[in-house]
Amino acid sequence: MSERVVEDVIELLRQRGLRMTPQRRVIVAEIMRTQGHISPTALARKVQSDMPGVNASTIYRTLALLEEAGVLAHAHLEGGAEYHRAEEAGHIHLTCSRCHAEDDLSLDDATVIQKLIEEHHGFHPDLTHFAISGLCSDCRRELAGS
Ligand SMILES: [Zn+2]
Ligand SMILES: [Zn+2]
Ligand SMILES: [Zn+2]
């Protein structure tokens, strides 16, 4: 993730009236550098190793503001809510309840289930918000073999 993107996000927050302290800059840089998802606790650990003494509540508050600004989106995974960049959030999470492996499914691949729900219930599901819990292929194979 380039410095440019970090600066754009900082500018966006500033326009929304947020005072950009050095702590907030470190938080933004760390979250924008993250590949895939990150839990608030894991982010707090990283930020605190870059800049000891950053308050966890400052980190949570900044995450919430970044989500309000449309930069981040959260999804609920096996271990709780995690954040990813909003433009990368358009996928369905598959989590294994046995080994906690994570996999993704594209929304295109899920068109059939999306349509089925819409046609039968008139309900438009947001399949990206909560992970689908189940058993991964490795665990299924292990369980079948034992
Ligand atoms: Zn939620
Ligand atoms: Zn995801
Ligand atoms: Zn598994």
Side-chain angles (χ1 to χ4, degrees):
M1 190 47 53
S2 70
E3 285 304 307
R4 174 96 186 82
V5 175
V6 173
E7 286 308 316
D8 286 351
V9 172
I10 287 171
E11 188 48 39
L12 188 75
L13 290 176
R14 196 182 283 132
Q15 281 166 11
R16 295 172 74 95
L18 195 70
R19 209 163 55 83
M20 287 311 296
T21 59
Q23 302 191 336
R24 285 226 166 87
R25 288 182 156 269
V26 171
I27 298 167
V28 169
E30 197 59 69
I31 187 86
M32 298 314 286
R33 202 186 297 150
T34 301
Q35 300 288 324
H37 336 116
I38 190 162
S39 69
T41 355
L43 180 71
R45 257 198 308 277
K46 282 185 160 194
V47 169
Q48 283 159 352
S49 79
D50 288 351
M51 189 183 258
V54 179
N55 208 313
S57 67
T58 307
I59 296 169
Y60 296 143
R61 174 102 187 95
T62 308
L63 284 172
L65 287 167
L66 287 169
E67 181 157 28
E68 265 175 53
V71 176
L72 299 180
H74 73 266
H76 302 268
L77 307 182
E78 204 74 33
E82 300 209 8
Y83 287 82
H84 37 38
R85 288 198 289 280
E87 77 264 22
E88 290 179 355
H91 53 266
I92 299 163
H93 303 97
L94 307 176
T95 60
C96 179
S97 56
R98 184 167 175 265
C99 72
H100 303 296
E102 284 176 14
D103 198 2
D104 288 348
L105 183 67
S106 77
L107 283 175
D108 284 348
D109 287 343
T111 314
V112 175
I113 185 169
Q114 178 114 21
K115 282 222 173 88
L116 186 117
I117 296 170
E118 279 177 359
E119 276 162 21
H120 289 263
H121 300 274
F123 182 85
H124 180 76
D126 176 4
L127 298 171
T128 68
H129 193 186
F130 281 89
I132 296 176
S133 182
L135 278 177
C136 73
S137 59
D138 287 347
C139 284
R140 291 181 63 202
R141 212 173 302 125
E142 276 178 41
L143 289 171
S146 64

mmCIF file of all heavy atoms in Angstrom, residues 111-133:
data_model
loop_
_atom_site.group_PDB
_atom_site.id
_atom_site.type_symbol
_atom_site.label_atom_id
_atom_site.label_comp_id
_atom_site.label_asym_id
_atom_site.label_seq_id
_atom_site.Cartn_x
_atom_site.Cartn_y
_atom_site.Cartn_z
ATOM 1 N N THR A 111 -24.009 -16.117 -6.875
ATOM 2 C CA THR A 111 -25.221 -15.568 -7.482
ATOM 3 C C THR A 111 -26.421 -16.493 -7.298
ATOM 4 O O THR A 111 -27.535 -16.038 -7.052
ATOM 5 C CB THR A 111 -25.004 -15.330 -9.001
ATOM 6 O OG1 THR A 111 -23.763 -14.687 -9.167
ATOM 7 C CG2 THR A 111 -26.090 -14.456 -9.584
ATOM 8 N N VAL A 112 -26.194 -17.798 -7.414
ATOM 9 C CA VAL A 112 -27.291 -18.761 -7.333
ATOM 10 C C VAL A 112 -27.974 -18.711 -5.958
ATOM 11 O O VAL A 112 -29.198 -18.622 -5.860
ATOM 12 C CB VAL A 112 -26.786 -20.192 -7.628
ATOM 13 C CG1 VAL A 112 -27.904 -21.206 -7.416
ATOM 14 C CG2 VAL A 112 -26.272 -20.281 -9.058
ATOM 15 N N ILE A 113 -27.179 -18.717 -4.901
ATOM 16 C CA ILE A 113 -27.764 -18.699 -3.555
ATOM 17 C C ILE A 113 -28.410 -17.328 -3.276
ATOM 18 O O ILE A 113 -29.473 -17.235 -2.653
ATOM 19 C CB ILE A 113 -26.724 -19.082 -2.468
ATOM 20 C CG1 ILE A 113 -27.395 -19.181 -1.098
ATOM 21 C CG2 ILE A 113 -25.561 -18.143 -2.370
ATOM 22 C CD1 ILE A 113 -26.512 -19.804 -0.044
ATOM 23 N N GLN A 114 -27.799 -16.280 -3.779
ATOM 24 C CA GLN A 114 -28.342 -14.925 -3.627
ATOM 25 C C GLN A 114 -29.738 -14.851 -4.270
ATOM 26 O O GLN A 114 -30.699 -14.387 -3.666
ATOM 27 C CB GLN A 114 -27.383 -13.945 -4.322
ATOM 28 C CG GLN A 114 -27.840 -12.505 -4.298
ATOM 29 C CD GLN A 114 -26.914 -11.622 -3.473
ATOM 30 O OE1 GLN A 114 -25.763 -11.954 -3.238
ATOM 31 N NE2 GLN A 114 -27.431 -10.517 -3.022
ATOM 32 N N LYS A 115 -29.848 -15.328 -5.514
ATOM 33 C CA LYS A 115 -31.115 -15.309 -6.249
ATOM 34 C C LYS A 115 -32.160 -16.175 -5.558
ATOM 35 O O LYS A 115 -33.339 -15.813 -5.475
ATOM 36 C CB LYS A 115 -30.897 -15.843 -7.680
ATOM 37 C CG LYS A 115 -30.262 -14.853 -8.606
ATOM 38 C CD LYS A 115 -30.948 -14.903 -9.990
ATOM 39 C CE LYS A 115 -30.458 -13.811 -10.918
ATOM 40 N NZ LYS A 115 -29.266 -14.220 -11.688
ATOM 41 N N LEU A 116 -31.721 -17.336 -5.080
ATOM 42 C CA LEU A 116 -32.633 -18.263 -4.419
ATOM 43 C C LEU A 116 -33.294 -17.595 -3.207
ATOM 44 O O LEU A 116 -34.508 -17.672 -3.019
ATOM 45 C CB LEU A 116 -31.845 -19.497 -3.979
ATOM 46 C CG LEU A 116 -32.649 -20.644 -3.395
ATOM 47 C CD1 LEU A 116 -32.505 -21.863 -4.300
ATOM 48 C CD2 LEU A 116 -32.174 -21.011 -2.014
ATOM 49 N N ILE A 117 -32.507 -16.897 -2.420
ATOM 50 C CA ILE A 117 -33.040 -16.215 -1.236
ATOM 51 C C ILE A 117 -33.984 -15.088 -1.659
ATOM 52 O O ILE A 117 -35.070 -14.930 -1.112
ATOM 53 C CB ILE A 117 -31.887 -15.692 -0.336
ATOM 54 C CG1 ILE A 117 -31.067 -16.867 0.212
ATOM 55 C CG2 ILE A 117 -32.432 -14.831 0.812
ATOM 56 C CD1 ILE A 117 -29.771 -16.480 0.914
ATOM 57 N N GLU A 118 -33.578 -14.331 -2.670
ATOM 58 C CA GLU A 118 -34.415 -13.231 -3.141
ATOM 59 C C GLU A 118 -35.745 -13.732 -3.695
ATOM 60 O O GLU A 118 -36.801 -13.170 -3.406
ATOM 61 C CB GLU A 118 -33.677 -12.417 -4.211
ATOM 62 C CG GLU A 118 -32.704 -11.422 -3.599
ATOM 63 C CD GLU A 118 -31.901 -10.642 -4.638
ATOM 64 O OE1 GLU A 118 -32.090 -10.896 -5.856
ATOM 65 O OE2 GLU A 118 -31.089 -9.811 -4.221
ATOM 66 N N GLU A 119 -35.686 -14.808 -4.493
ATOM 67 C CA GLU A 119 -36.909 -15.301 -5.128
ATOM 68 C C GLU A 119 -37.870 -15.932 -4.130
ATOM 69 O O GLU A 119 -39.080 -15.785 -4.237
ATOM 70 C CB GLU A 119 -36.561 -16.299 -6.242
ATOM 71 C CG GLU A 119 -36.237 -15.577 -7.534
ATOM 72 C CD GLU A 119 -35.488 -16.447 -8.530
ATOM 73 O OE1 GLU A 119 -35.564 -17.688 -8.411
ATOM 74 O OE2 GLU A 119 -34.816 -15.882 -9.407
ATOM 75 N N HIS A 120 -37.334 -16.613 -3.153
ATOM 76 C CA HIS A 120 -38.204 -17.311 -2.207
ATOM 77 C C HIS A 120 -38.668 -16.473 -1.038
ATOM 78 O O HIS A 120 -39.683 -16.754 -0.433
ATOM 79 C CB HIS A 120 -37.547 -18.595 -1.721
ATOM 80 C CG HIS A 120 -37.490 -19.641 -2.783
ATOM 81 N ND1 HIS A 120 -38.424 -20.645 -2.881
ATOM 82 C CD2 HIS A 120 -36.641 -19.788 -3.825
ATOM 83 C CE1 HIS A 120 -38.138 -21.381 -3.949
ATOM 84 N NE2 HIS A 120 -37.071 -20.888 -4.532
ATOM 85 N N HIS A 121 -37.898 -15.447 -0.692
ATOM 86 C CA HIS A 121 -38.263 -14.676 0.490
ATOM 87 C C HIS A 121 -38.351 -13.177 0.232
ATOM 88 O O HIS A 121 -38.671 -12.422 1.144
ATOM 89 C CB HIS A 121 -37.260 -14.929 1.625
ATOM 90 C CG HIS A 121 -37.200 -16.373 2.030
ATOM 91 N ND1 HIS A 121 -38.066 -16.914 2.953
ATOM 92 C CD2 HIS A 121 -36.404 -17.375 1.619
ATOM 93 C CE1 HIS A 121 -37.792 -18.203 3.087
ATOM 94 N NE2 HIS A 121 -36.794 -18.514 2.287
ATOM 95 N N GLY A 122 -38.031 -12.742 -0.982
ATOM 96 C CA GLY A 122 -38.031 -11.312 -1.276
ATOM 97 C C GLY A 122 -37.011 -10.572 -0.438
ATOM 98 O O GLY A 122 -37.085 -9.360 -0.254
ATOM 99 N N PHE A 123 -36.068 -11.315 0.070
ATOM 100 C CA PHE A 123 -35.066 -10.759 0.973
ATOM 101 C C PHE A 123 -33.747 -10.633 0.241
ATOM 102 O O PHE A 123 -33.306 -11.569 -0.422
ATOM 103 C CB PHE A 123 -34.919 -11.706 2.172
ATOM 104 C CG PHE A 123 -33.953 -11.247 3.227
ATOM 105 C CD1 PHE A 123 -34.364 -10.371 4.225
ATOM 106 C CD2 PHE A 123 -32.647 -11.709 3.231
ATOM 107 C CE1 PHE A 123 -33.468 -9.949 5.206
ATOM 108 C CE2 PHE A 123 -31.752 -11.287 4.205
ATOM 109 C CZ PHE A 123 -32.167 -10.405 5.195
ATOM 110 N N HIS A 124 -33.132 -9.449 0.355
ATOM 111 C CA HIS A 124 -31.834 -9.273 -0.294
ATOM 112 C C HIS A 124 -30.733 -9.500 0.735
ATOM 113 O O HIS A 124 -30.529 -8.682 1.622
ATOM 114 C CB HIS A 124 -31.719 -7.878 -0.899
ATOM 115 C CG HIS A 124 -30.409 -7.647 -1.574
ATOM 116 N ND1 HIS A 124 -30.106 -8.175 -2.805
ATOM 117 C CD2 HIS A 124 -29.301 -7.004 -1.159
ATOM 118 C CE1 HIS A 124 -28.865 -7.843 -3.129
ATOM 119 N NE2 HIS A 124 -28.353 -7.138 -2.146
ATOM 120 N N PRO A 125 -30.045 -10.631 0.643
ATOM 121 C CA PRO A 125 -29.037 -10.927 1.669
ATOM 122 C C PRO A 125 -27.713 -10.202 1.427
ATOM 123 O O PRO A 125 -27.304 -10.003 0.285
ATOM 124 C CB PRO A 125 -28.834 -12.442 1.508
ATOM 125 C CG PRO A 125 -29.095 -12.699 0.067
ATOM 126 C CD PRO A 125 -30.114 -11.678 -0.392
ATOM 127 N N ASP A 126 -27.072 -9.799 2.499
ATOM 128 C CA ASP A 126 -25.698 -9.310 2.418
ATOM 129 C C ASP A 126 -24.818 -10.469 2.864
ATOM 130 O O ASP A 126 -24.584 -10.688 4.046
ATOM 131 C CB ASP A 126 -25.505 -8.098 3.339
ATOM 132 C CG ASP A 126 -24.043 -7.634 3.353
ATOM 133 O OD1 ASP A 126 -23.225 -8.208 2.603
ATOM 134 O OD2 ASP A 126 -23.736 -6.713 4.113
ATOM 135 N N LEU A 127 -24.360 -11.229 1.894
ATOM 136 C CA LEU A 127 -23.613 -12.449 2.201
ATOM 137 C C LEU A 127 -22.189 -12.168 2.668
ATOM 138 O O LEU A 127 -21.494 -13.063 3.126
ATOM 139 C CB LEU A 127 -23.598 -13.375 0.974
ATOM 140 C CG LEU A 127 -24.972 -13.867 0.507
ATOM 141 C CD1 LEU A 127 -24.861 -14.578 -0.837
ATOM 142 C CD2 LEU A 127 -25.603 -14.795 1.540
ATOM 143 N N THR A 128 -21.767 -10.909 2.568
ATOM 144 C CA THR A 128 -20.382 -10.588 2.930
ATOM 145 C C THR A 128 -20.197 -10.286 4.414
ATOM 146 O O THR A 128 -19.081 -10.286 4.913
ATOM 147 C CB THR A 128 -19.874 -9.347 2.149
ATOM 148 O OG1 THR A 128 -20.584 -8.185 2.602
ATOM 149 C CG2 THR A 128 -20.077 -9.498 0.664
ATOM 150 N N HIS A 129 -21.299 -9.990 5.098
ATOM 151 C CA HIS A 129 -21.196 -9.450 6.467
ATOM 152 C C HIS A 129 -20.846 -10.505 7.520
ATOM 153 O O HIS A 129 -20.060 -10.260 8.416
ATOM 154 C CB HIS A 129 -22.502 -8.730 6.803
ATOM 155 C CG HIS A 129 -22.420 -7.891 8.033
ATOM 156 N ND1 HIS A 129 -23.519 -7.274 8.565
ATOM 157 C CD2 HIS A 129 -21.399 -7.579 8.851
ATOM 158 C CE1 HIS A 129 -23.158 -6.618 9.645
ATOM 159 N NE2 HIS A 129 -21.881 -6.780 9.846
ATOM 160 N N PHE A 130 -21.449 -11.686 7.407
ATOM 161 C CA PHE A 130 -21.126 -12.764 8.345
ATOM 162 C C PHE A 130 -20.500 -13.926 7.580
ATOM 163 O O PHE A 130 -20.931 -14.248 6.473
ATOM 164 C CB PHE A 130 -22.390 -13.268 9.058
ATOM 165 C CG PHE A 130 -22.815 -12.361 10.179
ATOM 166 C CD1 PHE A 130 -23.665 -11.299 9.938
ATOM 167 C CD2 PHE A 130 -22.340 -12.553 11.473
ATOM 168 C CE1 PHE A 130 -24.046 -10.445 10.965
ATOM 169 C CE2 PHE A 130 -22.712 -11.707 12.505
ATOM 170 C CZ PHE A 130 -23.565 -10.646 12.256
ATOM 171 N N ALA A 131 -19.506 -14.531 8.188
ATOM 172 C CA ALA A 131 -18.868 -15.685 7.555
ATOM 173 C C ALA A 131 -19.817 -16.874 7.579
ATOM 174 O O ALA A 131 -20.670 -16.989 8.464
ATOM 175 C CB ALA A 131 -17.588 -16.033 8.301
ATOM 176 N N ILE A 132 -19.649 -17.744 6.607
ATOM 177 C CA ILE A 132 -20.357 -19.015 6.631
ATOM 178 C C ILE A 132 -19.435 -20.004 7.342
ATOM 179 O O ILE A 132 -18.290 -20.205 6.957
ATOM 180 C CB ILE A 132 -20.678 -19.499 5.204
ATOM 181 C CG1 ILE A 132 -21.638 -18.507 4.534
ATOM 182 C CG2 ILE A 132 -21.276 -20.910 5.241
ATOM 183 C CD1 ILE A 132 -21.952 -18.829 3.084
ATOM 184 N N SER A 133 -19.945 -20.571 8.415
ATOM 185 C CA SER A 133 -19.153 -21.496 9.221
ATOM 186 C C SER A 133 -19.394 -22.914 8.727
ATOM 187 O O SER A 133 -20.487 -23.243 8.263
ATOM 188 C CB SER A 133 -19.620 -21.329 10.676
ATOM 189 O OG SER A 133 -18.871 -22.150 11.504
#
